[in-house]
Amino acid sequence: MVKQVSVFLENKPGRLEHALKVLADGGVNIVALTIAETSGFGLLRMLVDQPTKAAQALNSAGITSSETPVTAVEIKDTPGSLLAAVKGFKERNLNIEYLYTFTERHTEDCIVVIFRFENCETAERVLWKEGYKLLSHEQITGKKQDDA
Amino acid sequence: MFQKEYETMPRRELRSLQLERLRWSVRNAYDNVESYRRHYDQAGFHPDQLKKLDDIRRVPFLTKEMMRENYPFGLFARPMEDVVRLHSSSGTTGNATVVGYTARDIEVFAEVVARCLAAYGGTKKDVLQVAYGYGLFTGGLGLHYGAEKLGAATIPIGGGNTDRQLMLIQDFGTTMLACTPSYALNIADHIAVKRPDFKLRDTNLRVGILGAEPWSEEMRLEIEERLGIEAYDIYGLSEVIGPGVSAECEKKSGLHIFEDHFYAEIIDPETGEVLPEGEKGEIVYTSLTKEACPVIRYRSRDISRLYHDDCVCGRTHVKMEKVSGRTDDMLIVRGVNVFPSQIESVLMEYEGTEPHYQIVLDRRGAMDDIEIQVEVTPAIFSDELKNLQGMASGLEERIKSTLGVSAEITLVEPRTIERSLGKAKRVIDRRQ
Ligand SMILES: [Zn+2]
């Protein structure tokens, strides 16, 4: 399980920049980032090196955020690998709320995919049994988690 | 109780006191104020026609417009040498209105506020922090002199500067805090965001005296929960005297109007007809003891309901329901009457939604368009789009079923809606 920081943003010019500036000023490094949006608002989802520090910085700037448990999985960088994984989840009734790939190449022949499962713990147990490699916060960010 | 003999006076006795005082008050206006005399003569009314209390229905109304036309001193029934204080309502829409007080009026003002404070459980042992604005607005000085009259230690801090408010609550051992309900929520927000270490529950603060703007039952629950206090409504209008026209008692159901000083009626705002007890309409006030600025059948524009119940507190005075809006706040949207307070209730009922919202009215073609902006606080935030969208559409459905008009909910970032230390600006009307 990896802690993802999710942020509420209005679809207005400058809002993303504002949030990023708050994090930069707080000395927080963003490792992976994705944005989901509707016509009115967006959700910024990020993996950062210091999630607790990020939450504090956002909170004192009056930005609404939350920490969400997500699963980071190593998947082979070959055609059909992701498809195979997703098919497997479907067979086991593991609902994916959303996913995004981690652009930084983790090892020579693998990429990292971040999954948000309805039930994170069950999903991780299944993945682990199947032989997938689950990555920790430290493996992804290169830093120990700054738990409060 | 601060003045038990008046506050628990048997109804029959109270009514005869009211009649006696009403006749004096109308006489005071008629004999000493040119504008009243002309107004009554034109309408064919004379003070001698007041034989019983119900005859008050024959007296022409006093409107806000008339008060403005008589700016500044046209409605004074006493020469300036007898006036010891002047207050003025904010002149944001048109002219301001001015109210003068004799020494006796100031005494009554302090007494009715002291009655309110006693109704909330206040005694001379309390430490009362007045966080209403001082100055021309009646809130600050009204609470101030009422608290002193009660014998409480009074802290005249005035509005704003939340860090300082917190410091004094802690250092001075404040037990009662008087402010607007929106400022009470501002304090809760301020603690949550800037001072998470500040434990309000560890201080002596136990009572909030909240007024000067309409607020809902849901807002009371939120304030009580977040600040760890008992929140009571105090009501008044500067034209009538200021805060202290009515107050909740320990029962927190309805506000007792201090009927030995103020006579209240409910009318249909369209026709001016007096409505039977229990019906909702515009409250009309008549001052029974004021010397300098008598108000006779003053149309308050506040919407409420009057009723009697055998209140456990022992007070015999009539109760008014918490003001649910003002006739001039009333929005007419696609032909439907909508009060901002109704929208607030819907938002508050929805689990976790704080009442930081703004109603924006616009015209799209021939159609009125209502947009309600709601701030997304951590309490209602979800990491998933479908949950946030579900919340918005759930609110839209509730608004539609409660108000009978559809509105669009827009989720906005926290603290993007303008906050004020005094009254919250809830409505932006761009339809003109
Ligand atoms: Zn009572």
Side-chain angles (χ1 to χ4, degrees):
Chain A
M1 202 255 328
V2 180
K3 267 188 200 170
Q4 170 193 276
V5 177
S6 311
V7 174
F8 179 84
L9 292 178
E10 270 174 68
N11 272 359
K12 277 200 294 201
R15 302 316 299 158
L16 174 63
E17 191 187 336
H18 174 60
L20 294 179
K21 182 163 191 314
V22 166
L23 292 172
D25 291 349
V28 174
N29 187 36
I30 301 166
V31 179
L33 174 154
T34 176
I35 293 178
E37 60 168 19
T38 69
S39 58
F41 62 89
L43 289 170
L44 168 63
R45 299 174 178 136
M46 300 172 286
L47 296 185
V48 300
D49 60 346
Q50 304 162 86
T52 307
K53 199 171 174 187
Q56 281 164 355
L58 292 166
N59 186 33
S60 22
I63 297 173
T64 296
S65 71
S66 70
E67 284 183 358
T68 314
V70 292
T71 304
V73 187
E74 231 180 45
I75 305 257
K76 280 218 166 359
D77 192 8
T78 53
S81 307
L82 182 57
L83 176 66
V86 170
K87 265 188 175 166
F89 301 152
K90 196 183 162 199
E91 282 159 18
R92 284 167 189 78
N93 274 332
L94 293 173
N95 284 328
I96 305 169
E97 299 291 349
Y98 54 82
L99 65 85
Y100 53 101
T101 59
F102 186 171
T103 50
E104 188 186 330
R105 188 172 291 272
H106 185 64
T107 57
E108 285 283 306
D109 53 351
C110 288
I111 57 156
V112 179
V113 183
I114 310 296
F115 291 96
R116 165 70 180 150
F117 291 106
E118 213 172 52
N119 187 332
C120 181
E121 271 181 47
T122 320
E124 294 199 348
R125 216 176 303 123
V126 170
L127 287 168
W128 181 76
K129 274 191 193 157
E130 300 260 314
Y132 281 98
K133 184 172 175 192
L134 305 183
L135 301 173
S136 69
H137 178 86
E138 200 175 341
Q139 285 167 311
I140 286 176
T141 65
K143 271 200 190 176
K144 278 214 157 50
Q145 200 162 294
D146 63 340
D147 281 298
Chain B
M1 233 174 278
F2 186 70
Q3 288 174 318
K4 197 165 182 182
E5 56 160 327
Y6 287 107
E7 293 176 73
T8 63
M9 187 176 267
R11 291 296 309 169
R12 181 188 285 269
E13 223 175 296
L14 183 60
R15 284 181 70 84
S16 79
L17 179 69
Q18 283 184 312
L19 176 60
E20 180 194 315
R21 288 180 168 182
L22 174 70
R23 297 172 75 165
W24 173 85
S25 186
V26 175
R27 260 288 169 202
N28 181 36
Y30 188 81
D31 291 349
N32 300 313
V33 185
E34 167 81 39
S35 295
Y36 269 115
R37 192 162 49 242
R38 245 185 301 122
H39 187 40
Y40 290 177
D41 287 347
Q42 272 170 16
F45 168 77
H46 189 273
D48 288 346
Q49 294 169 0
L50 292 171
K51 306 277 187 231
K52 54 187 193 304
L53 216 39
D54 280 347
D55 290 337
I56 194 171
R57 298 179 187 196
R58 307 169 75 156
V59 186
F61 292 116
L62 170 67
T63 60
K64 190 130 190 154
E65 288 70 35
M66 283 174 63
M67 294 201 81
R68 289 181 184 141
E69 283 161 16
N70 283 284
Y71 178 89
F73 307 135
L75 291 177
F76 280 33
R78 290 290 181 278
M80 200 50 82
E81 64 193 73
D82 291 341
V83 171
V84 300
R85 198 195 293 170
L86 296 166
H87 275 292
S88 179
S89 71
S90 58
T92 42
T93 48
N95 286 329
T97 54
V98 180
V99 189
Y101 301 73
T102 63
R104 170 75 198 130
D105 293 337
I106 289 291
E107 182 68 18
V108 169
F109 190 9
E111 278 174 12
V112 290
V113 173
R115 286 185 191 180
C116 299
L117 302 177
Y120 313 142
T123 69
K124 62 183 191 176
K125 290 180 184 158
D126 277 292
V127 179
L128 197 146
Q129 188 160 324
V130 182
Y132 281 114
Y134 277 68
L136 284 175
F137 167 59
T138 47
L141 286 175
L143 263 297
H144 182 98
Y145 285 103
E148 287 190 357
K149 173 64 76 183
L150 182 70
T154 309
I155 310 173
I157 183 170
N161 198 342
T162 308
D163 277 317
R164 189 129 190 266
Q165 301 278 359
L166 293 178
M167 185 183 89
L168 296 194
I169 287 172
Q170 187 146 55
D171 296 350
F172 290 6
T174 300
T175 57
M176 301 176 103
L177 174 69
C179 63
T180 61
S182 44
Y183 189 61
L185 281 179
N186 256 0
I187 293 177
D189 280 355
H190 185 87
I191 294 173
V193 172
K194 300 253 166 72
R195 303 283 302 277
D197 53 306
F198 191 92
K199 297 283 177 276
L200 206 51
R201 276 165 214 273
D202 294 345
T203 67
N204 293 337
L205 188 66
R206 57 181 173 80
V207 170
I209 301 155
L210 312 179
E213 59 188 26
W215 51 305
S216 62
E217 203 50 49
E218 291 79 12
M219 201 160 162
R220 185 207 311 270
L221 294 177
E222 181 178 357
I223 290 169
E224 291 191 335
E225 155 123 21
R226 293 184 63 193
L227 294 177
I229 58 174
E230 300 285 327
Y232 293 98
D233 201 354
I234 186 165
Y235 169 88
L237 307 84
S238 61
E239 294 86 348
V240 179
I241 199 157
V245 172
S246 66
E248 283 180 331
C249 59
E250 69 261 28
K251 206 157 172 247
K252 287 187 197 159
S253 76
L255 297 90
H256 292 282
I257 297 176
F258 298 122
E259 284 186 287
D260 51 329
H261 293 296
F262 317 108
Y263 185 85
E265 305 164 86
I266 293 281
I267 62 161
D268 178 330
E270 302 290 322
T271 65
E273 285 301 308
V274 174
L275 296 174
E277 176 162 328
E279 282 193 31
K280 208 165 190 160
E282 179 180 353
I283 323 180
V284 171
Y285 292 101
T286 299
S287 67
L288 299 178
T289 53
K290 266 198 343 169
E291 294 176 338
C293 280
V295 285
I296 312 293
R297 298 201 92 200
Y298 175 60
R299 293 190 58 162
S300 70
R301 303 182 180 190
D302 281 343
I303 303 287
S304 181
R305 191 168 86 73
L306 296 179
Y307 60 98
H308 288 90
D309 59 1
D310 289 322
C311 194
V312 290
C313 74
R315 287 177 184 80
T316 51
H317 293 194
V318 71
K319 276 182 172 176
M320 61 184 271
E321 205 169 70
K322 245 171 165 320
V323 169
S324 57
R326 307 201 66 181
T327 54
D328 44 358
D329 280 347
M330 188 174 80
L331 307 167
I332 301 178
V333 182
R334 289 171 228 148
V336 178
N337 296 348
V338 172
F339 291 100
S341 52
Q342 292 176 295
I343 292 176
E344 179 173 316
S345 290
V346 172
L347 296 178
M348 292 291 294
E349 277 164 26
Y350 206 92
E351 198 181 359
T353 309
E354 283 184 49
H356 287 317
Y357 67 94
Q358 193 161 53
I359 300 161
V360 182
L361 294 163
D362 218 331
R363 188 153 281 164
R364 197 163 46 190
M367 276 284 268
D368 292 340
D369 202 34
I370 318 183
E371 180 194 1
I372 303 165
Q373 300 180 343
V374 180
E375 291 188 358
V376 176
T377 57
I380 60 170
F381 178 57
S382 162
D383 164 62
E384 282 161 42
L385 292 177
K386 64 172 188 227
N387 295 348
L388 289 172
Q389 284 170 324
M391 180 177 71
S393 58
L395 282 171
E396 282 169 0
E397 274 168 36
R398 285 209 200 178
I399 298 265
K400 170 106 182 128
S401 61
T402 315
L403 275 65
V405 287
S406 42
E408 185 189 346
I409 300 279
T410 306
L411 301 178
V412 299
E413 289 174 30
R415 284 135 54 94
T416 51
I417 293 170
E418 194 190 330
R419 296 285 203 290
S420 58
L421 298 171
K423 305 192 180 193
K425 186 161 178 69
R426 292 301 189 203
V427 181
I428 295 186
D429 197 337
R430 300 197 186 116
R431 292 181 294 180
Q432 271 78 44

